[in-house]
Amino acid sequence: LNKNDRLAVAARLLSMMKEGVRSRDVDTSPDTITYNTILSGTVLTLSSDARIIFRILNEMANDGVERSFVTYRSAIQACRAYPEIAIEILDANGENGSDLSSFSQTEKKDILNSILDMCADERSITTISHAFHRIVEQEGVEPDLVSFAHITRALASANDEGGLFLLLHALQNNATKDEFLRIYDIAVADDGSAFKVASLCSVAMDFLLNRDNLTGAMVLLSTMEKCGLEATENSLQSIVLEHCRLAMVSSSEEFKMARRESMQGASGARSHLLRPLQHISSSHAKAALEITRNMKAPQAGLYCTLTKACFSSGRSSDGRAILNKLHEAALSDVRSNVTAGDSLTVFELPRLHHQLFKLCARSGNVTCALGIADAVAVLSHQLCQMGSLEQGFKDAIEVDPKQITIRAKDKGPLDVSMCGEDWKLLMISASKSGHWKVCISTLGLLQPYVESTKIGKHLEVNDTHIRRLNRDYSCLSRAITAATLCFETRSQYAWAVRSIEDWIEWSGRRPPPEAVSSACRILAKRGKGQQVISLMTRILQVPQPVSDEENNDLAYDRIVYNEAIMALYNQGLYDRADELYVSAVSRDVLPWVVSGFDENDSQLLTLDLHGMSRASAHSAVRIALQREIQGRSWNSTTDSRNFIIITGRGKGSLRQYRPVVRPEVQRMLCEEFYPPLSTSSVPGNMGALQVSSSDIQAWLEHQKEQKDLRMLAIADLLKDLSSPRKIASAITKGQTNNKGP
């Protein structure tokens, strides 16, 4: 039910409860709790709906139902978007008049603060003045720190720096009380300085930040500086954290926008390296840095958040400077014999490093990633020299594979060295920026982590252990994909093949399909069709782990075969693509699409390409024509059967009802066959083509003529080579060349 329906149902229930008293002599009359329940679930969306609140309050008064403090508080909260109506509720009269005078001072103050809170949200200074007249002056309620904090928040939200300046001075018992009263008609008591103004500002700052009003918080902070007030460390930390949060959120949105623009570019190609305009995120990070410099003793957690904000917003130099401070603080903690539980700096560093590597991978900033890796290596070496790490800790390459940590969260609190996922993220950074030599070096550093996921290396293996190994391998497999993509970009086909072969040896598993397709594309682009077939043969010889639920053998084979055939097809290596297609059919990975062929049957020969890719369909048609027609009974000139090719209508295409296979088949039959094989639509079926038997017979006759001509040419060549005169001349020439000078 929507809000209006709920109110209507509540009104009917009230009427039924009242009717029950009169008709059935049952005491079902609504009481205070009933009305309070209805009011607590009411939220006004239009000011005209306020009559519902007044009607309920008047009914309670006329029926003699007590209107308690909870009743008024619920009614006021229902009018949150309309604070002026909330003040009118205080004067709602029934037969017994208003009940506000019967409340305690604490309850009146709570109602005052609730109205001031709503006024601050709506930035309504006029309504605040009315609330002061109605509650403070008429009811004698003394405003507290929270009350003035709401007034401060309202002025800051309205960007009224002048009024905020006057208020803070008035609360400091300066001569501006009368001026503030004259402008805003809000009296400040003589004992207003009983509470510290800095505490008031801190409370107001928290209210502003909790409502995501960073602009108002900055106005308040600026006004405090003008008044000579010093903000508390907690307030400054809250502002810095909010700036950092907005910097990271803005940075994420900037990268999304850059990615959309890259995908919608004129070339239509998707770029791996994004260069977004980071004006907004950089400004937030800069503001956070400036505030942090004015803080006396920022906490380690604040520095960690600030470091992430700087790296995410493109201020990597500032981030590196803060990271160095954190490393120095960690070393200082260890020198002071601070335990792992007490050293927050050391404890947070592995997680911070991992998140920084993530940010570098997102932006493709390999320079920053390498800088972080160097800093981590130096810190880890220094900690090792100080003897602060766990016994037996060594460099990751020398560690027993069973002890190698894939994820940062599994590491000890003082183990700050890079984990497997960190190296993977470094690989992604290098891949996006095109640094293929860094990818080669990083692959070597990843070797022990990949080998640790090999099931055959572990003697005691159970289902839980296998699932963990599979999960770890899945986390690391993105690294080989990033490496091959970089090699493809830099046209390093030999390194692409070598990296895949090494990955198979290290992991004992098949590499990800994306890595295989990338290697096939670069080999095909360099005209290495036979190497594509050899690579596919090598990969498909590797068995998949039995418990690897994420990789189904048939699905994996189908993906890599389709990608390899597409790579060969795009580079015009049709013969190699046909060879792969035949191999896939023989392994039952791709279907054999020819049906209806029988020498003793008049049924049409049908080739069903529905659902196939453009490249696979191309190879299927070539194989069908060469092996099923040319090599069988179609050599007979009496066969009058047409050849039917089912292509589909394009319902599953990226652009619906824009077929991809049909125009490709028509182009191929016209351009790649001589004489051309013309096609026509099957009557009543726009998803099928037919090739007439006369065109097929003409093509077969031409193929036969070409075969006869080739045989004659070979015979002439052999005859010329086997002539006695030619043989004698060759022997004489050879003897002359063998004589010395």
Side-chain angles (χ1 to χ4, degrees):
L1 296 176
N2 57 36
K3 297 174 182 178
N4 294 330
D5 291 339
R6 288 200 298 267
L7 288 175
V9 171
R12 287 198 300 270
L13 288 175
L14 286 175
S15 300
M16 292 172 62
M17 294 175 71
K18 294 178 181 180
E19 184 67 24
V21 179
R22 296 190 295 268
S23 61
R24 292 185 294 273
D25 295 332
V26 180
D27 188 9
T28 58
S29 57
D31 55 5
T32 302
I33 297 177
T34 306
Y35 284 106
N36 291 347
T37 304
I38 295 174
L39 289 172
S40 62
T42 303
V43 178
L44 298 186
T45 56
L46 297 174
S47 59
S48 58
D49 294 336
R51 62 180 183 276
I52 300 174
I53 305 295
F54 291 109
R55 187 180 67 185
I56 293 175
L57 293 175
N58 289 332
E59 284 184 6
M60 293 179 68
N62 295 331
D63 294 341
V65 179
E66 179 187 1
R67 298 184 296 188
S68 64
F69 161 72
V70 177
T71 305
Y72 278 95
R73 188 179 61 182
S74 301
I76 290 171
Q77 290 296 329
C79 305
R80 186 163 192 85
Y82 305 97
E84 65 279 359
I85 297 178
I87 298 177
E88 296 178 8
I89 288 176
L90 300 179
D91 297 323
N93 293 322
E95 293 180 356
N96 299 322
S98 175
D99 300 311
L100 187 61
S101 57
S102 62
F103 298 157
S104 66
Q105 289 293 321
T106 303
E107 292 174 339
K108 293 178 182 179
K109 188 178 300 183
D110 188 274
I111 290 176
L112 170 66
N113 290 337
S114 297
I115 296 177
L116 294 178
D117 185 18
M118 293 186 291
C119 295
D121 287 340
E122 298 300 323
R123 305 175 185 180
S124 178
I125 306 298
T126 304
T127 311
I128 290 179
S129 177
H130 294 165
F132 258 71
H133 278 292
R134 177 62 183 86
I135 303 177
V136 176
E137 297 179 5
Q138 296 183 15
E139 301 295 336
V141 176
E142 189 68 33
D144 57 2
L145 182 144
V146 176
S147 305
F148 283 103
H150 287 309
I151 299 174
T152 304
R153 179 165 65 91
L155 294 169
S157 300
N159 293 332
D160 189 353
E161 295 189 34
L164 193 57
F165 182 84
L166 291 175
L167 175 62
L168 296 183
H169 271 285
L171 293 173
Q172 288 178 303
N173 275 335
N174 292 333
T176 54
K177 291 182 179 180
D178 295 336
E179 186 175 356
F180 185 78
L181 176 62
R182 178 178 58 81
I183 297 176
Y184 295 101
D185 199 16
I186 299 175
V188 178
D190 291 336
D191 57 349
S193 58
F195 50 81
K196 294 183 179 180
V197 181
S199 300
L200 163 70
C201 295
S202 177
V203 174
M205 194 85 70
D206 292 339
F207 280 131
L208 288 166
L209 294 176
N210 288 337
R211 287 162 173 79
D212 297 329
N213 191 350
L214 180 60
T215 304
M218 294 302 297
V219 170
L220 177 57
L221 182 63
S222 175
T223 308
M224 289 176 65
E225 294 176 355
K226 294 177 182 178
C227 294
L229 296 173
E230 185 176 352
T232 62
E233 289 288 303
N234 289 335
S235 298
L236 293 176
Q237 179 171 326
S238 299
I239 294 177
V240 171
L241 291 175
E242 183 65 13
H243 271 299
C244 292
R245 185 187 70 82
L246 291 176
M248 289 184 281
V249 171
S250 301
S251 176
S252 179
E253 293 298 325
E254 289 163 349
F255 270 94
K256 288 180 181 178
M257 185 178 299
R259 189 175 293 110
R260 284 195 296 266
E261 292 176 354
S262 175
M263 296 179 67
Q264 296 173 359
S267 62
R270 181 174 178 176
S271 174
H272 294 292
L273 190 60
L274 300 176
R275 295 298 186 192
L277 298 176
Q278 296 187 286
H279 299 309
I280 299 177
S281 58
S282 179
S283 63
H284 282 296
K286 182 179 179 181
L289 280 169
E290 292 176 353
I291 297 174
T292 306
R293 293 190 183 103
N294 296 327
M295 296 178 65
K296 296 179 180 178
Q299 297 179 358
L302 180 65
Y303 272 135
C304 290
T305 305
L306 184 58
T307 306
K308 290 185 289 184
C310 289
F311 273 95
S312 64
S313 59
R315 306 181 68 90
S316 55
S317 58
D318 294 328
R320 280 294 307 275
I322 301 174
L323 183 62
N324 291 336
K325 288 183 179 180
L326 288 171
H327 286 181
E328 293 173 1
L331 292 173
S332 176
D333 289 345
V334 175
R335 292 190 188 99
S336 303
N337 294 324
V338 179
T339 61
D342 296 333
S343 178
L344 184 62
T345 304
V346 179
F347 182 77
E348 289 189 352
L349 280 179
R351 185 183 296 106
L352 173 63
H353 294 156
H354 184 67
Q355 292 170 341
L356 295 182
F357 279 118
K358 274 187 176 181
L359 295 173
C360 293
R362 183 184 67 175
S363 60
N365 193 339
V366 68
T367 304
C368 287
L370 290 173
I372 297 171
D374 290 340
V376 172
V378 170
L379 177 63
S380 179
H381 178 69
Q382 290 176 339
L383 290 175
C384 284
Q385 287 184 333
M386 296 169 64
S388 302
L389 298 184
E390 298 176 358
Q391 185 68 25
F393 174 78
K394 300 178 182 179
D395 188 77
I397 300 178
E398 301 176 355
V399 177
D400 181 16
K402 293 183 180 180
Q403 300 176 353
I404 291 178
T405 302
I406 303 298
R407 292 174 297 276
K409 64 183 180 181
D410 296 331
K411 298 164 63 173
L414 291 179
D415 187 355
V416 298
S417 61
M418 292 176 62
C419 63
E421 285 196 5
D422 295 338
W423 292 115
K424 176 195 72 174
L425 294 170
L426 176 60
M427 176 81 76
I428 295 174
S429 303
S431 174
K432 288 185 176 181
S433 57
H435 285 70
W436 62 276
K437 293 183 180 180
V438 177
C439 292
I440 294 173
S441 302
T442 309
L443 274 175
L445 296 171
L446 268 171
Q447 179 180 353
Y449 300 97
V450 179
E451 289 178 343
S452 69
T453 65
K454 193 173 183 178
I455 297 178
K457 295 190 66 174
H458 301 270
L459 299 178
E460 298 180 1
V461 178
N462 51 37
D463 292 341
T464 303
H465 192 198
I466 290 176
R467 283 194 296 269
R468 178 181 175 82
L469 292 177
N470 291 335
R471 185 172 64 251
D472 291 344
Y473 174 78
S474 178
C475 292
L476 295 177
S477 61
R478 180 70 177 86
I480 184 62
T481 302
T484 52
L485 288 173
C486 182
F487 296 145
E488 179 186 1
T489 303
R490 295 301 183 183
S491 193
Q492 298 291 332
Y493 69 91
W495 280 113
V497 176
R498 170 68 183 275
S499 63
I500 287 183
E501 291 177 348
D502 289 345
W503 190 270
I504 293 174
E505 181 182 352
W506 298 341
S507 64
R509 308 166 188 254
R510 298 176 179 179
E514 298 84 359
V516 178
S517 61
S518 177
C520 291
R521 286 194 300 268
I522 184 177
L523 288 172
K525 192 173 182 179
R526 297 294 294 267
K528 308 290 183 180
Q530 183 57 46
Q531 290 193 26
V532 173
I533 297 177
S534 301
L535 180 64
M536 289 290 297
T537 303
R538 172 72 179 93
I539 291 171
L540 296 176
Q541 287 175 349
V542 180
Q544 287 284 64
V546 177
S547 300
D548 196 348
E549 300 176 356
E550 297 182 0
N551 294 307
N552 179 273
D553 280 346
L554 184 59
Y556 181 93
D557 293 354
R558 185 179 296 113
I559 292 173
V560 295
Y561 264 119
N562 280 322
E563 292 293 333
I565 292 172
M566 179 65 74
L568 294 169
Y569 164 80
N570 288 336
Q571 301 302 323
L573 304 176
Y574 298 149
D575 293 337
R576 298 302 182 188
D578 295 347
E579 187 176 344
L580 270 184
Y581 177 78
V582 172
S583 174
V585 171
S586 64
R587 294 170 60 97
D588 292 330
V589 176
L590 296 179
W592 181 235
V593 293
V594 177
S595 62
F597 188 90
D598 191 346
E599 297 180 2
N600 300 321
D601 192 357
S602 60
Q603 179 179 336
L604 295 175
L605 178 62
T606 303
L607 184 63
D608 189 358
L609 306 179
H610 189 267
M612 298 182 68
S613 66
R614 183 176 57 181
S616 299
H618 182 274
S619 295
V621 173
R622 285 167 54 93
I623 297 298
L625 288 173
Q626 293 172 2
R627 298 194 178 188
E628 294 296 330
I629 295 180
Q630 189 177 356
R632 298 198 183 187
S633 65
W634 281 74
N635 291 326
S636 173
T637 58
T638 61
D639 201 328
S640 60
R641 291 180 293 175
N642 294 333
F643 182 35
I644 303 299
I645 304 176
I646 300 175
T647 61
R649 294 179 295 173
K651 293 181 65 176
S653 301
L654 183 61
R655 300 174 65 184
Q656 198 171 22
Y657 293 106
R658 299 289 181 89
V660 176
V661 175
R662 179 187 177 97
E664 173 60 22
V665 171
Q666 291 177 311
R667 182 205 62 79
M668 177 187 63
L669 294 177
C670 290
E671 297 180 4
E672 299 180 19
F673 289 83
Y674 185 83
L677 299 178
S678 60
T679 59
S680 60
S681 297
V682 175
N685 186 358
M686 293 300 296
L689 298 171
Q690 64 179 357
V691 183
S692 64
S693 59
S694 60
D695 287 348
I696 294 177
Q697 292 296 341
W699 177 70
L700 289 172
E701 291 175 2
H702 177 74
Q703 295 297 313
K704 184 178 180 181
E705 292 175 0
Q706 293 297 314
K707 182 178 180 181
D708 294 341
L709 291 175
R710 286 193 295 271
M711 294 301 296
L712 289 173
I714 293 173
D716 291 340
L717 180 62
L718 293 175
K719 180 180 179 180
D720 187 54
L721 290 175
S722 60
S723 172
R725 184 179 299 174
K726 292 285 186 181
I727 294 175
S729 176
I731 293 174
T732 303
K733 185 177 180 179
Q735 291 175 349
T736 303
N737 293 334
N738 290 332
K739 291 181 179 181

